[in-house]
Amino acid sequence: MSSKSEQTRQLVADVALRMFRENGFEKTTMRAIATEAGVSVGNAYYYFASKDELVQELYVQVQAEHAAKAAEAVEGIKDLSGRLKATLHAGLDAMEPYHRFGAEFIATAIRPTSPVNPFSGESTAARDASLAIFRNIVDGASPAVPRKFRADLPELLWLGYMGVALFWVYDTSADRRRTRKLVDGVAPLIARGLSLARIPGVSKVLDDVLSLSRIVRD
């Protein structure tokens, strides 16, 4: 793609995401996006075949912003609880401008055949970027996460983050206060649970949980 084409593609994406924030997803049409961006409707469709693809672009951009904010937020933090809490709050910060159409985004993403579905092939790049964020907080934790959890924990945390994001979508409290409290409470619980892995009886239970998670993800 030439530099000019890349600039046009970025312009269409930027205009669309701004209109999603200001007008909502349903009320924003491809024709309105093209008009606002100063390009023909056909040109807009050349770069993005549907609004779903624009939501996919949003997904990628939010993951990139989450990665940048999380890297800054965990700087100097060693314990897993603190790193997880900072990373989850960074994710909420990255998503916040889009809260207005969060429910519409979920309605689009929840369809199994939607390219925006976080488990779809089209979402691989965004999903891998998000998994890398959680892999970074696990790998950099001190005391180290028990070895047997290190490979699986990033994906389990990512799945948990999907749950937090869903809670955030429907959180109508001021400044998403309830979601912030959820993050503050759940991060130390996860770290404390993992620390129990060194106790023989508890370790067996955690092994069973880990085994079950592998079975359902295969």
Side-chain angles (χ1 to χ4, degrees), residues 134-160:
F134 290 100
R135 192 171 298 115
N136 177 57
I137 68 170
V138 171
D139 291 347
S142 178
V145 171
R147 185 182 300 276
K148 61 184 174 183
F149 293 115
R150 288 179 203 165
D152 296 274
L153 189 56
E155 185 169 357
L156 295 175
L157 293 176
W158 175 73
L159 290 170

Side-chain angles (χ1 to χ4, degrees), residues 27-86:
K27 293 181 180 177
T28 301
T29 65
M30 288 297 287
R31 181 173 297 279
I33 292 168
T35 300
E36 188 74 13
V39 301
S40 69
V41 176
N43 205 8
Y45 275 113
Y46 171 78
Y47 294 106
F48 299 97
S50 67
K51 286 201 298 182
D52 279 5
E53 287 196 5
L54 282 161
V55 174
Q56 184 68 41
E57 180 71 13
L58 166 65
Y59 188 26
V60 171
Q61 289 193 18
V62 168
Q63 297 316 313
E65 187 172 354
H66 184 191
K69 287 180 179 293
E72 183 178 350
V74 301
E75 195 171 340
I77 301 176
K78 294 297 184 183
D79 66 289
L80 180 65
S81 174
R83 292 172 68 81
L84 178 57
K85 189 186 299 185

Side-chain angles (χ1 to χ4, degrees), residues 67-145:
K69 287 180 179 293
E72 183 178 350
V74 301
E75 195 171 340
I77 301 176
K78 294 297 184 183
D79 66 289
L80 180 65
S81 174
R83 292 172 68 81
L84 178 57
K85 189 186 299 185
T87 296
L88 293 175
H89 279 300
L92 296 177
D93 291 340
M95 293 190 296
E96 184 56 33
Y98 305 97
H99 185 265
R100 182 178 175 186
F101 82 99
E104 293 168 311
F105 173 77
I106 292 294
T108 302
I110 204 168
R111 297 197 311 268
T113 56
S114 170
V116 188
N117 181 330
F119 301 97
S120 70
E122 292 87 341
S123 294
T124 297
R127 183 172 62 251
D128 287 349
S130 189
L131 284 169
I133 296 171
F134 290 100
R135 192 171 298 115
N136 177 57
I137 68 170
V138 171
D139 291 347
S142 178
V145 171

